[in-house]
Amino acid sequence: MAEMAGGAPATEVAASDPDGFDGVRMTWNAWPRSKIEASKCVIPVAASISPIRSFPDLVVLPYSPLRCKPPCSAVLNPFCRVDFPSRIWICPFCFSRNHFPHHYAAISESNVPGELYPQCSTVEYAIPALVSGGDPSAAPSLPPPIFLFVIDTCVIEEEFGFVKSAMRRAIGLIPENALVGLITYGTQVQLHELGFSELSKLYVFRGTKEISKELILDQVGLSAPGSAPTPGFPKGGMLQANGLHPAVSINRFLLPASDCEYTLNALLDELQIDQWPVEAGNRARRCTGVALSVAAGLLGTCLPGTGARIVALVGGPCTEGPGMIVSKDLSQPVRSHKDLDKDAAPHFHKAVKFYDNLAKQLVNQGHVLDLFASALDQVGVAEMKVAVERTGGLVVLAESFGHPVFKDSFKRIFESGEQSLGLSFNGTHEINCSKEIKIQGIIGPCTSLEKKGAFCSDTVIGQGNTTVWKICGLDRSTCLTVFFDISPSERSSQSGIPNPQLYIQFLTNYQNSEGQIRLRVTTITRRWVEGSTNTAELVDGFDQETAAVVLARYVSFKMEMEEEFDATRWLDRTLIRLCSRFGDYRKDEPSSFIINPNFSIFPQFMFNLRRSQFVQVFNNSPDETAYFRILLNRESITNSVVMIQPSLISYSFAAPPSPALLDVASIAADRILLLDAYFSVVIFHGTTIAQWRNMGYQNQPEHQAFSLLLQAPHDDAQMIIRDRFPAPRLVVCDQHGSQARFLLAKLNPSATYNSAHEVAPGSDIIFTDDASLQVFCEHLQRLAVQS
Amino acid sequence: MASSFSPGGPSRPRPGYYPPSIANPSPNPSPASSLPGTMQNLQIGRPSAPSGPPPFLSGISASASGGSRPGPPPQSLPTRPQFQQPPAMSNGPPSIGVSGPRFPTQATLREPTPTIPTQGSRAVPGSSSAGSPANDLVPPSIYNSSFSAPAAGVPMAPPSLVSSPPQLHSLMGGQPSHPLAGGSPSQPLAGGPPSQPLMGGPPSLPYMGQPQMVQYSGMRQPLPPSGAAPPFGSPPVWQQQQPRPGVAPVSSMVQAPPQMFGAPPSPFTQPRPLTPPVMGNSPLAWSHSSTPSTIDPNQIPRPMVDSSVIVFNTRQGNQVNSPPPATSDFIVKDTGNCSPRLMRCTMNQIPCSGDLLSTSSMPLALLVQPMAIPNPDEEPIQVVDFGEIGPIRCSRCKGYINPFMKFVDQGKRFICNLCGYSNETPRDYYMNLGPDGRRRDAEERPELCRGTVEFVATKEYMVRDPMPAVFFFLVDVSMNSIRTGATAAACGAISQAIADLPEGPRTLVGIATFDSAIHFYNLKRALQQPLMLVVPDIQDVYTPLHTDLIVPVAECRQHLEQLLESIPSMFETNKVADSAFGAAIKAAFLALKPTGGKLLVFQSVLPSIGTGSLSSREAEGRTTNVSSGEKEAHKLLQPADMTLKTMAIEFAEHQQVCVDVFITTQAFVDMASISVVPRTTGGQVYYYYPFSALSDTAKLYNDLRWNISRPQGFEAVMRVRCSQGIQVQEYSGNFCKRIPTDIDLPGIDCDKSIMVSFKHDDKFQEGSECAFQCALLYTTIYGQRRIRVSNLSLPCTTMLGTLFRSADLDSLLTCFLRQAATAIPTSPLSQVREQIMNLCVNILHSYRKFCATVSTPGQLILPESVKLLPLYTLALSKSTGLRNDGRLDERSYWANHVASLSVSLAVPWVYPRMISIHDLTSKENNDPILSSILPLSSANLNDDGIYLLENGEDCLFYVGNMVNSEILQQIFGVTSVDGLPTQFVLQQYENTFSKILNDVVNEIRRQRCSFLRMRLCRKGDPSGMLFLSNMVEDKSPGGLSYMEFLVHVHRQIQTKME
C-alpha cells in the first residue's frame, strides 16, 4: 500500500505545477525495463531535478533521518514497508530489514513520523546533530555567509564609477553578520586587509605568476603550523569550526559587514583604476586568473567548508599570467568559435586547464565562484565556465557595469526575503536507486565526487562515475539533469516477481542561506514498462518539454565535448528516429503520419532548438555561448523551455493579452508583442501603435485605453524581469526599427523575402533563407516514414 | 641676530664663555621643553630648524659671487657637518653654513700670535734668519730634559719627532753605554726653523706643554747655520746622536722639510744627489737587545698634533709643495694643483722608472676623494661653462683642459700634458700667448690656473635627463628590530632628517618597511591616509605600484611624518622574526628603477628569508671542526654567495641606485655578505653594535642627517688619467666597475675616497712632471650634470732619497690599511699581519740599504718622513680587523669601513687619539685641548683619571676607579664610579667642566664629520678591556709592545741586510 501511494500525488501535482511537488521531471515517466528498449526510446532516460526548490508545504523535520544499513544508506521514506508491531522497516532499494531505534518506540499505525506520510515524498531534515558536531558550544552561532569581492580595476573611469556604486549598494544590503573581503586587481592583485586599523593596508601579488594556495597563505601570514586543513570533501568534521577556522587571523581579511562597512566605503572612495601604463595598441594588463586563485587560496585555508562565495566583477579579458585568454597586443582579437574550431586559440586550452584546477580547488573547499562579466568584448567566460559551473556559481554577462542587466542582477544576490535567491552553500547531492538503474552522470552545476557505487554506469555523461556530487553553491532554481542507464542485474531478474515500481531517492545536504544545515530527501517511484510491445505506456509517460530541454542540454554538452560534432544533423536524426518509433504511419506515406499529442510540440521544440543560440553558436561569441549554456544547464525545465522556444504574448485592442504563435505572422501593425526569450525580453510595437505613441495619444485623457495598452506589456515584462536571475535584457522596439531584430530572430520565418507577396498588410517578413517550421515538419514526416 | 634665538634659548646660553664670534651665530633653538621626553636623546644632534638651511643650501647664496666667464660658482660649498650640542647647551656651535662652525674661531685664535710669521719659514722660506740665539742650547742634555718633560706627564710626544726637518730619524737599540750619544749634539738639528711655526703652537698660548715646543723649536732654529756639516740632520735620538756628516751642504734650504706646508717652494725638490747619510756607529747596537728597557720610551717616534692652521699653496713658482699631514688643519690655496684633500699621492715625487719604485718598496697610489669638503676659508671650486661645445678636451686621450696643458704656436695649438698630443685650439677658445709663454687669459680662466674646476656637462654627457634626488628609506620592522627600539630610532631619525631635504620638486622620497614581507607606502597627497602595500613574495619580488611610491618631498612631508610616527606602534606586536633584507632592497630597487637614487636601509637582524637570505655562519663556524674552522676562518669574511653581489651590480650598472645600510643590531648579521651591496653601489655601512636605543639613537639620526645632507652627487662616473709613463693599475673603493678604465658610482659623497694605484709602463725624463687627472662626471642634488676635474702634477725623480723624503706617511698608511682590508677575507690572519709587517720592513730595509749605507748595521734608521711607520704598522696589526679575537661582523665592518676611508680619517682609525679629560678645567680655556694627546699606552692611564679616546667612529670614555666624585658628578651626573650607566649618553650639565667637555667632543665631531658612538669604559669591567685593547703600544696577548716591535723590526731589517 504504502509503496503505491507515492506515485499518485506526484503525478497529480505535476498537472498543476509542471515541476511537481518533488521538483523532479523525467523525460520518460514510465521506464522501459531493458537496455535495448531504452535505446529504442531514442530520448535518453533522464530526470531533471531541482534539489532545493522551495515550496510552501515542505515538511521540515527537526531530527536526523533514519538510514538503511550501509552500503545502501537510503533514508526512511514513504515507500518503505513498515512492520509496526516488530518495529521494522524494509528499504525499497536494497530490501534490507532495519529496526527502528529507541526514539521511534512510539511508532504505530496511528502515530507515524512525518517522513512516512505518503504525501511527504519530499521532506527536509534540519539536523541539529550535524550543526553541533558533538560540540554543543559551537551550535548556537550559525556560520555567516562570506562574500569575497574580486574587482577588476583595469576599466575606464566611468565603468569604475558604476562598479563602485554597485559595490556601495551591495555593502548596504549585505546581512550584518556576513563576512566580507575585498580583492582588487589589474596588473597586480591587491588583497585588502580590512581588519588593519592603522591605515589602509593591502597585499600585492604579481599578476604574472601562478601562486599556490599554500604560498598565498604563507605570504599573507595565515599559515599557522599544523593548521593546514585536510583537503578533500569536508564532512561533518569541518563544521566543528563553525565557519571560523581556528586561525582567527583570517578576520584580518574577512570582517563582518557591520564592522567594515565604513572601511569598505572609504576604501571604495579611494580606489583607483589600475595605474600601470598601457602601451598604445595594447590591452590593459589584467590578471584575472591570479586574482581568482588568490581569492580561492584565501578562502580555502581560512574557511574550508563554509559557505563562501567569490564574487568576481570582471571588466575585460585576462591578458596576464595564468588564465590568460588573449595576448596584450590589440591586433590579436579575442578567440571566436571559428578559432576554437580550428584550434587557433593559442591560450584557450591552457586557460581552461587553469580554471579547471581552480574549480577543483574551490570544490574541495566547498566555495563558489560568481562571475559578473561586463564588457563590450569578451572577458573569458568560455574559459572560466568550468570554474563557475563546477562550483554552482552564478554568472551574469552584461555589456557594461552600468547596464541594468548587471545592476539588477548584482543587487539580487544580496537581497533577502521574498526577492532572495535563497543562495545556499556547500551542497552534496546523493542518489540512491533501484538495482536495475545505473547513473551515467549529471549535467548541471555540480562536481562529481568520484564516489563509485553500485549504481554507477560505465558510460558517463557529464559529471559521472559517482553517486555523490558536490554542489558548492545552489539556490531555489538550481536544476540538475541526471542521466540514467537501465541495466537489469541478474539478481533483480531472478527475484521471481519483479517489482513493477522503480525507486529513486535524491538526498541533498546543504547549508541554507541562514546557515542551517539541511538534508532534503526526495524519494520518487515510477513504473516499469515490461517488454517491447507496450509503447502506449511509454508514450503516456513522455514529457516532451523535459525531453526537449534534456536534449538541448545533452546536445550542448556533446558540442563541447566532441570534436566535429554536427549538432543539427544529430538532432534531426534523433527527431526522425523518435518519430519513426512512436508515430503512427504507413511506410513511405508521409501524409499518413500521426503522432500522439504527448509528442505534438516536440518537433517544434526541435525546430527552435536547431535555430537557437545553443546550436547556432556562430552568431555568438564563445563567451555568450558559454553563458547561455551555463544557464540552460542550471535553470528549471520551464525556464529552459523558454530559452529554447521563447514565449510570445500579443496585446491589442481587439483581444485581451494572449499567447501568440512564435511566427512572423503574429506581427501586426496594431499589436504590441511581448517576447520572452529568457535572456532578453522584447516589447515590440506594431507600426500603428508606434505611430500613435509617437503622436502622444497615450497622454491624452480620452485615450487612456491606449495608455493602458502601452503599459500592459511593460508591466508584464517587469514581472518577468523581477523574478528572473540574471535579469534579462529589456529591449523596447518598434516594427522596422533596428532593435526589432531581437524579435525577428526568434520567430518562425513563415514569411520571408521569398514569400513576400503573400504577406498580409501590417505584417512583416524575415530576411532569411532558413526553412520555416512548416517546411521542417513536412520534411520530418517524409523522413520519419521512410522505410 | 636676536631673532635667531629661540624662545627659551636665552636662559641657557652663557655668552661669556665663548668668544663673541661663536656666541653670535645661531643658538640651538630647540629648548628641551619643546620636545617630547622620549626624544630627549635625539636632541643631541637635533638640527636647529631656524638656524638656517643645511650647509649646501647656504652655499647657494654665496654662489652669486662667481666669475663672469666661468659661470656661477658651485652651488654647493660644502662644509663639515655641524653636530649640534645637546639642547641644554643652547649656545651651540654656529650652524650657519659656509662660514663653518669652528674654523673662524681658530683663525682668530691664531692670528693674534705675531710670532709665527717671524719665526716661521712662512715668512722667510728656509732661511736661517730666525737667528741663532739658542745655538748654545743644543746639548743633548737639554734635549733629554725637554723630552723628559712630556714623559713626566705632559701628554705630548716630543715635538721634534714630527716637525724636525731631517729626513732621517734614527732609533737605536738600547745601548746605554754608547758613548756617541752625546757626541754630536749639534749636528742633527739641521734645518729646523721652517717647521717651527708649524709644530709649535703659538707661544702666546699658555698651554701646558706648548711652551716646551716653543722652546724646543727655538733652540733648533739656530742650528741650520751650524748645520753646514750634517744638513740632513740626524733626528733626535735617545741614546746616541747620529752624526750625519755625509750630506752635502746643499744649503740650509735643502733641509726645508716636507712638512713646510706653508713654505714657498724650496729647492729641495730639485734633483739632488743622494748622499748616503753617515750614521753613528753602533756595531753592537742590538747585540744586547736583551736590555731594551734602556730605550727611553718617550723618545720613540709618536704622532704629534699640531693645532695651528697652515696655509698651503699647492704650487708655488712652478714648484710643487708637499701637502701638510692629512689630519692637520690647513687652508689650501689652489694654485695649479688640486687640494690634497681631493687627491693625495703616496709620494710627492714620482720615480722616473718602475725599477726605482720597486726598489723603494713603496706603493705608488693616489687617494682620491673627489668631493672632499674644503675648508670654509678656501676659495670655492669654480664652475666653468663652455656652453654648447662643452669642456675643451684632448682629442686623443680625452683629457680635460687643465693648467698643465701647454699652449704653443701663439696659442693655436696646445699640447696635452697627459698624452703629449698636439691639439688644435678651438677657434672660440683661442687666445694669444703672453711674454711668459702662457695664455694671456690664463689667470682669468679657472680651468687654466686652478687644479680643480667643475665643468658644466653638455647633453653629450647624459644618457638621460639628470636624475632627481631620490631618497628611499627601507626600515626593518621584524620582531627584534621593534623590540630593541631600532625601528623607532630609525623612524625618528628619518622623520627629523627629512626636514633637511631641499623642498624642491626634484627631491623625491619614498619609504618601505619589511619583515618577512615588504610593505610599501603610497604617500600620494590625494589619499586620505597613507596606503600600505604589502609585497609578500620575497623569492621573486616586484613593485606594487607603478607610480606614487616615490613622491616629491614637498607633497608628502606631512603624510610621511605621520607614517613614521605610527610605524613603530603599528608593528608593535609583530611576531615575525624573519627579515627579508635581500628581497626588500630588490623591491625598493624596482621602485627606484625609473629614476635611480639613494636607498637607505635600516637593518636590525640577520637577513634570514627570501632572496639573498643568509645563515648564521658565525655560529656554524664555531660548531664545525675547530681545526679546519680556524684555517678557513677568513672565508667567513667573504660574502656567503653571489646573490647580493649580482643584485648590487644590477643596481649600480643599470639603474644608478646607491645603497647605504644602517645596521642596528645586537647579534650577528653577516656583515661580510650585506656589505657587498653598499660597496658595489658606492654606498656605506653604518654599524651600531650592540645597538642601544638609548645611546645610539642620537648617532643614528646624526649619521642619517649627514648622509643625506652632505655634499654628494648621483649617477657618477669617474676616471683617473695620468701621464704617459705610468698607467692605472687598479681602483679600490666603493664602486662598480664595468670597463677597466672607468668606475661607476651610483652615489658619491664628500666622505668617500677611492684609491688608485699605478704602475710604470715607461720611463719619465728627469725633470719632467707626471700629471694625474681625475674626472668625475656626476649629477648634483639639484639636477645639474657636472664634470669635476682635479689635476695633480708632480715632479719626477731618479733619486731614491728624494723619493723617501717626499713620501707621504698618511697616504702610505691608508694604502696599507686598504691592502690589509682587502687581504683579510682571502688570507689567514697571521699571514695578513705578516704581510703588513713586511710592507713596513721592506721600506725601512730599502732605506737602510740604499740611503743609509754608511751607518752601522746595529742601528735602526728610519726615514724622517715615515718614521711613524713602525708605530702605525703595529697599531694596524692590533686593530679590530686584524685581531684574532674580533667578532666576524666587527672585523668585516672594519674592513668595509676602511675600503672608502679618507686619508684624514684613516690615521685616527688606526692610531686613535686619546686625551685626558679629568684635568680639562685646569687647562686654559682657549687652549687647543685636542693637541695634547696621549700615547696609546696604559702607562698613561691613571686610576684617578678620565680619558677620552676617539678614532673618528667611536668615542670611549675611560673612567679610572679612583676618580674624584666631584668630577664624576660634574661630567656624568653620578657620584660614584659604580653609579655609571652602562648605556651612555653624553649630557651637558650646568657646570664649566661639562661644558668644556662637550665643546671638546663637538670639536672632535666636527673634525671627523661623525657624531661618534659614545661608550663608557670602566676599569676592571669588560668595557674597560675594550678600552685597553686600544692601547696599541702595550704588550698584549696578540702582539708586541711598541718597544719590542721596534726591536723586532730592527732584527728583520738586519736579517735582510745579511
Side-chain angles (χ1 to χ4, degrees), chain B residues 14 41 117 130 138 159 176 337 401 433 446 463 495 509 514 532 557 579 597 750 773 853 874:
Chain B
R14 307 189 136 207
N41 265 327
V138 170
N337 269 349
I401 185 82
L433 307 181
V463 277
S495 183
V509 289
F514 63 99
M532 180 177 179
R557 210 180 278 272
S579 172
C750 63
Q773 182 177 70
T853 42
L874 175 67

Side-chain angles (χ1 to χ4, degrees), chain B residues 484-783:
Chain B
T484 56
T487 304
C491 290
I494 298 168
S495 183
Q496 291 181 73
I498 50 167
D500 289 339
L501 288 177
E503 272 285 348
R506 291 193 63 90
T507 313
L508 310 180
V509 289
I511 186 165
T513 55
F514 63 99
D515 44 30
S516 63
I518 304 137
H519 324 113
F520 284 91
Y521 299 89
N522 181 346
L523 300 167
K524 194 92 194 256
R525 199 193 224 164
L527 293 166
Q528 289 162 359
Q529 54 177 350
L531 174 65
M532 180 177 179
L533 302 126
V534 184
V535 172
D537 187 349
I538 46 172
Q539 297 301 336
D540 183 12
V541 293
Y542 41 88
T543 165
L545 271 185
H546 176 65
T547 50
D548 302 345
L549 289 177
I550 296 169
V551 186
V553 66
E555 283 179 28
C556 69
R557 210 180 278 272
Q558 211 183 341
H559 268 150
L560 192 56
E561 280 169 11
Q562 204 183 352
L563 176 67
L564 286 164
E565 204 174 306
S566 57
I567 284 176
S569 59
M570 213 154 67
F571 291 97
E572 204 170 12
T573 54
N574 198 355
K575 296 276 186 300
V576 181
D578 285 319
S579 172
F581 170 80
I585 58 169
K586 181 80 194 267
F589 157 71
L590 292 173
L592 284 169
K593 214 168 175 179
T595 50
K598 270 184 87 86
L599 176 58
L600 300 119
V601 191
F602 296 82
Q603 171 75 23
S604 297
V605 292
L606 180 74
S608 51
I609 195 169
T611 313
S613 65
L614 302 166
S615 64
S616 187
R617 294 195 285 167
E618 191 180 43
E620 283 161 24
R622 253 185 262 124
T623 50
T624 51
N625 193 335
V626 178
S627 57
S628 73
E630 281 299 312
K631 255 184 239 162
E632 302 287 286
H634 60 271
K635 294 223 165 127
L636 294 177
L637 292 171
Q638 297 168 2
D641 60 32
M642 287 302 287
T643 321
L644 288 173
K645 176 79 178 174
T646 317
M647 214 188 272
I649 291 174
E650 195 190 349
F651 290 8
E653 281 192 352
H654 305 297
Q655 310 304 339
Q656 305 293 355
V657 173
C658 165
V659 185
D660 289 317
V661 185
F662 296 77
I663 292 178
T664 51
T665 187
Q666 297 179 336
F668 176 73
V669 296
D670 200 347
M671 177 72 77
S673 302
I674 289 181
S675 61
V676 164
V677 181
R679 274 188 77 166
T680 312
T681 59
Q684 187 173 349
V685 176
Y686 297 84
Y687 189 45
Y688 308 85
Y689 172 88
F691 178 76
S692 147
L694 179 66
S695 15
D696 288 332
T697 305
K699 173 156 165 61
L700 184 64
Y701 159 61
N702 276 291
D703 285 345
L704 177 65
R705 176 168 177 254
W706 179 238
N707 184 299
I708 63 177
S709 62
R710 63 187 166 187
Q712 57 192 299
F714 307 113
E715 48 182 357
V717 181
M718 191 183 106
R719 174 189 287 199
V720 171
R721 294 180 172 85
C722 54
S723 292
Q724 270 180 330
I726 54 171
Q727 65 183 46
V728 172
Q729 186 171 26
E730 199 186 3
Y731 292 93
S732 98
N734 294 1
F735 54 77
C736 171
K737 199 155 93 173
R738 270 185 295 180
I739 52 173
T741 49
D742 292 2
I743 55 174
D744 286 2
L745 299 149
I748 176 75
D749 58 71
C750 63
D751 294 333
K752 299 286 186 315
S753 155
I754 292 138
M755 184 169 86
V756 191
S757 58
F758 299 90
K759 64 175 180 208
H760 281 76
D761 54 4
D762 202 351
K763 285 192 161 125
F764 287 106
Q765 288 293 312
E766 197 171 356
S768 66
E769 286 203 347
C770 171
F772 300 93
Q773 182 177 70
C774 166
L776 176 77
L777 171 64
Y778 72 103
T779 301
T780 70
I781 200 160
Y782 300 98

Side-chain angles (χ1 to χ4, degrees), chain A residues 423-551:
Chain A
L423 295 177
S424 304
F425 299 99
N426 250 319
T428 46
H429 189 74
E430 205 179 331
I431 300 176
N432 289 313
C433 44
S434 296
K435 292 213 158 19
E436 296 85 348
I437 305 169
K438 299 270 184 271
I439 300 158
Q440 290 182 310
I442 294 183
I443 292 180
C446 65
T447 307
S448 160
L449 284 174
E450 305 284 340
K451 276 203 170 175
K452 276 211 159 188
F455 309 125
C456 294
S457 165
D458 292 338
T459 46
V460 174
I461 296 173
Q463 296 293 302
N465 269 331
T466 185
T467 54
V468 186
W469 291 261
K470 177 81 187 166
I471 319 173
C472 300
L474 64 172
D475 58 61
R476 287 169 189 170
S477 64
T478 301
C479 184
L480 306 171
T481 312
V482 190
F483 288 84
F484 295 101
D485 201 0
I486 293 154
S487 65
S489 64
E490 276 90 68
R491 227 189 64 190
S492 59
S493 50
Q494 271 172 7
S495 64
I497 319 127
N499 193 332
Q501 291 293 117
L502 61 96
Y503 301 96
I504 305 175
Q505 190 173 54
F506 302 102
L507 301 134
T508 311
N509 194 332
Y510 68 103
Q511 176 189 334
N512 71 7
S513 46
E514 277 91 49
Q516 291 157 339
I517 304 295
R518 295 294 180 89
L519 176 67
R520 175 86 65 107
V521 181
T522 299
T523 318
I524 55 156
T525 182
R526 292 292 187 269
R527 216 167 48 254
W528 286 118
V529 176
E530 297 291 344
S532 56
T533 47
N534 236 337
T535 29
E537 260 187 274
L538 285 174
V539 168
D540 282 345
F542 185 68
D543 180 342
Q544 49 186 340
E545 284 191 4
T546 309
V549 172
V550 166
L551 218 53

Side-chain angles (χ1 to χ4, degrees), chain A residues 188 200 202 204 206 209 270, chain B residues 528 532 534 540 542-544:
Chain A
Q188 293 171 332
S200 327
L202 48 87
V204 183
R206 69 164 27 164
K209 198 171 127 184
E270 289 199 354
Chain B
Q528 289 162 359
M532 180 177 179
V534 184
D540 183 12
Y542 41 88
T543 165

Side-chain angles (χ1 to χ4, degrees), chain A residues 354-643:
Chain A
F354 168 77
Y355 288 110
D356 192 44
N357 284 330
L358 185 74
K360 280 184 189 138
Q361 185 192 344
L362 285 170
V363 168
N364 247 347
Q365 299 166 184
H367 296 149
V368 189
L369 173 64
D370 294 335
L371 180 61
F372 291 84
S374 295
L376 289 170
D377 199 358
Q378 304 185 67
V379 307
V381 179
E383 286 86 349
M384 293 197 245
K385 172 174 183 268
V386 54
V388 175
E389 196 162 38
R390 291 280 168 278
T391 61
L394 306 171
V395 62
V396 174
L397 191 66
E399 56 200 39
S400 154
F401 288 112
H403 197 280
V405 171
F406 167 75
K407 287 206 290 195
D408 296 344
S409 308
F410 190 63
K411 205 172 89 186
R412 273 296 291 284
I413 64 170
F414 304 105
E415 270 173 2
S416 53
E418 236 171 81
Q419 280 294 304
S420 159
L421 293 174
L423 295 177
S424 304
F425 299 99
N426 250 319
T428 46
H429 189 74
E430 205 179 331
I431 300 176
N432 289 313
C433 44
S434 296
K435 292 213 158 19
E436 296 85 348
I437 305 169
K438 299 270 184 271
I439 300 158
Q440 290 182 310
I442 294 183
I443 292 180
C446 65
T447 307
S448 160
L449 284 174
E450 305 284 340
K451 276 203 170 175
K452 276 211 159 188
F455 309 125
C456 294
S457 165
D458 292 338
T459 46
V460 174
I461 296 173
Q463 296 293 302
N465 269 331
T466 185
T467 54
V468 186
W469 291 261
K470 177 81 187 166
I471 319 173
C472 300
L474 64 172
D475 58 61
R476 287 169 189 170
S477 64
T478 301
C479 184
L480 306 171
T481 312
V482 190
F483 288 84
F484 295 101
D485 201 0
I486 293 154
S487 65
S489 64
E490 276 90 68
R491 227 189 64 190
S492 59
S493 50
Q494 271 172 7
S495 64
I497 319 127
N499 193 332
Q501 291 293 117
L502 61 96
Y503 301 96
I504 305 175
Q505 190 173 54
F506 302 102
L507 301 134
T508 311
N509 194 332
Y510 68 103
Q511 176 189 334
N512 71 7
S513 46
E514 277 91 49
Q516 291 157 339
I517 304 295
R518 295 294 180 89
L519 176 67
R520 175 86 65 107
V521 181
T522 299
T523 318
I524 55 156
T525 182
R526 292 292 187 269
R527 216 167 48 254
W528 286 118
V529 176
E530 297 291 344
S532 56
T533 47
N534 236 337
T535 29
E537 260 187 274
L538 285 174
V539 168
D540 282 345
F542 185 68
D543 180 342
Q544 49 186 340
E545 284 191 4
T546 309
V549 172
V550 166
L551 218 53
R553 289 172 183 170
Y554 189 47
V555 79
S556 299
F557 173 75
K558 280 177 100 70
M559 285 173 80
E560 273 174 17
M561 303 310 291
E562 292 173 26
E563 272 177 44
E564 311 270 319
F565 176 72
D566 188 339
T568 316
R569 221 181 144 79
W570 187 85
L571 282 175
D572 288 349
R573 289 225 318 268
T574 306
L575 181 61
I576 293 162
R577 278 175 57 209
L578 185 76
C579 292
S580 315
R581 169 85 170 86
F582 294 103
D584 281 334
Y585 54 88
R586 287 186 300 282
K587 280 215 160 116
D588 297 324
E589 273 185 48
S591 54
S592 67
F593 186 86
I594 298 170
I595 198 159
N596 183 289
N598 263 358
F599 288 84
S600 59
I601 21 177
F602 192 73
Q604 193 187 342
F605 283 145
M606 289 302 105
F607 171 75
N608 282 307
L609 178 60
R610 287 169 90 251
R611 306 181 71 220
S612 73
Q613 63 269 47
F614 302 114
V615 175
Q616 298 302 323
V617 293
F618 285 92
N619 291 332
N620 299 105
S621 69
D623 268 15
E624 286 169 311
T625 304
Y627 173 58
F628 296 143
R629 284 179 179 162
I630 293 174
L631 286 167
L632 174 71
N633 289 347
R634 79 185 305 277
E635 277 301 324
S636 67
I637 296 293
T638 324
N639 279 339
S640 300
V641 165
V642 175
M643 294 181 202

Side-chain angles (χ1 to χ4, degrees), chain A residues 198-216:
Chain A
E198 260 94 347
L199 36 76
S200 327
K201 176 178 177 184
L202 48 87
Y203 284 82
V204 183
F205 299 88
R206 69 164 27 164
T208 46
K209 198 171 127 184
E210 186 163 359
I211 333 171
S212 71
K213 180 171 96 178
E214 289 71 28
L215 209 58
I216 291 167

